[in-house]
Amino acid sequence: MPPSTRIRTGLRRAATPLTAMVLALGISVAAAAPASAANSYNGNQFMEGAGTFRDDWTDEGIVAEFGGYNRNSNVTCLWQKIVFWADSSTGHRDQIDGYFGHNTTLATHAWQSQYMGPTSADGVVGKGTWAAAGTRLRDTDGDGTVDKYDGRYRDIAISRVNGVYHFADAAGNDRTANYNGRTCTII
């Protein structure tokens, strides 16, 4: 058998198990990818909590401009209320639309630099960023439930009803902090 035939035969024999291995790996990687239309860490449809509210935001999902992470959602709208309204000296209400775009990435980066330190600033809202924001949740009437986000410049009325977080959108409408839908309004 000529050398070129032996090489082709050897390559064909090696290609079959290699192809099967690549397909198997591709399938397992696809199955392990986080769901983009839910909380990336626990699959919940809403921002949720139980018991004391102090640690509710330590396992919330990712919202980000890139990567398909809940870019269009009421959770993004709530985050925008934090970075563009509560903790912004200028209060850009027109940026609160539930769509995580470039301006939200820039505002997130600035927020993270200020509240978490420059080395934590990546423009992506994940567990660490939600946990840092969660330290600003307050019970103002002493009943043990969350009433507001204590912003640097403005407060946000927020509540947890049957374990699910609610907030008022820019028009004052009650909205659930939903990863799967965007119903918040712009003013």
Side-chain angles (χ1 to χ4, degrees):
M1 181 182 313
S4 62
T5 304
R6 281 184 288 188
I7 291 172
R8 278 195 304 266
T9 303
L11 288 175
R12 276 190 213 114
R13 286 183 186 148
T16 302
L18 182 61
T19 301
M21 182 176 74
V22 168
L23 285 173
L25 287 173
I27 292 168
S28 68
V29 169
S36 62
N39 179 324
S40 311
Y41 302 113
N42 61 28
N44 293 341
Q45 180 178 349
F46 303 100
M47 287 182 76
E48 298 180 3
T52 179
F53 63 87
R54 299 282 179 207
D55 65 350
D56 280 356
W57 287 8
T58 59
D59 65 347
E60 288 308 321
I62 299 170
V63 289
E65 181 176 8
F66 301 108
Y69 293 108
N70 308 300
R71 188 175 188 182
N72 291 295
S73 68
N74 279 1
V75 172
T76 294
C77 189
L78 174 57
W79 177 250
Q80 289 172 327
K81 285 195 73 157
I82 291 170
V83 297
F84 289 125
W85 184 249
D87 291 330
S88 169
S89 63
T90 54
H92 295 290
R93 288 173 55 131
D94 60 326
Q95 296 291 317
I96 303 169
D97 61 3
Y99 180 77
F100 204 115
H102 188 65
N103 289 342
T104 305
T105 299
L106 293 175
T108 299
H109 193 275
W111 190 95
Q112 290 168 326
S113 290
Q114 182 171 2
Y115 295 98
M116 300 169 61
T119 58
S120 296
D122 62 4
V124 174
V125 185
K127 280 184 180 183
T129 304
W130 281 120
T135 65
R136 317 250 337 246
L137 296 174
R138 302 287 184 262
D139 170 14
T140 57
D141 61 11
D143 68 355
T145 62
V146 64
D147 301 311
K148 73 174 185 175
Y149 173 87
D150 187 16
R152 181 173 181 189
Y153 297 97
R154 294 164 204 87
D155 296 338
I156 299 171
I158 195 166
S159 62
R160 191 178 75 190
V161 179
N162 296 323
V164 174
Y165 274 85
H166 289 248
F167 65 98
D169 68 11
N173 301 307
D174 179 62
R175 301 295 180 200
T176 58
N178 184 344
Y179 288 100
N180 297 341
R182 181 179 82 165
T183 59
C184 61
T185 57
I186 307 169
I187 289 188

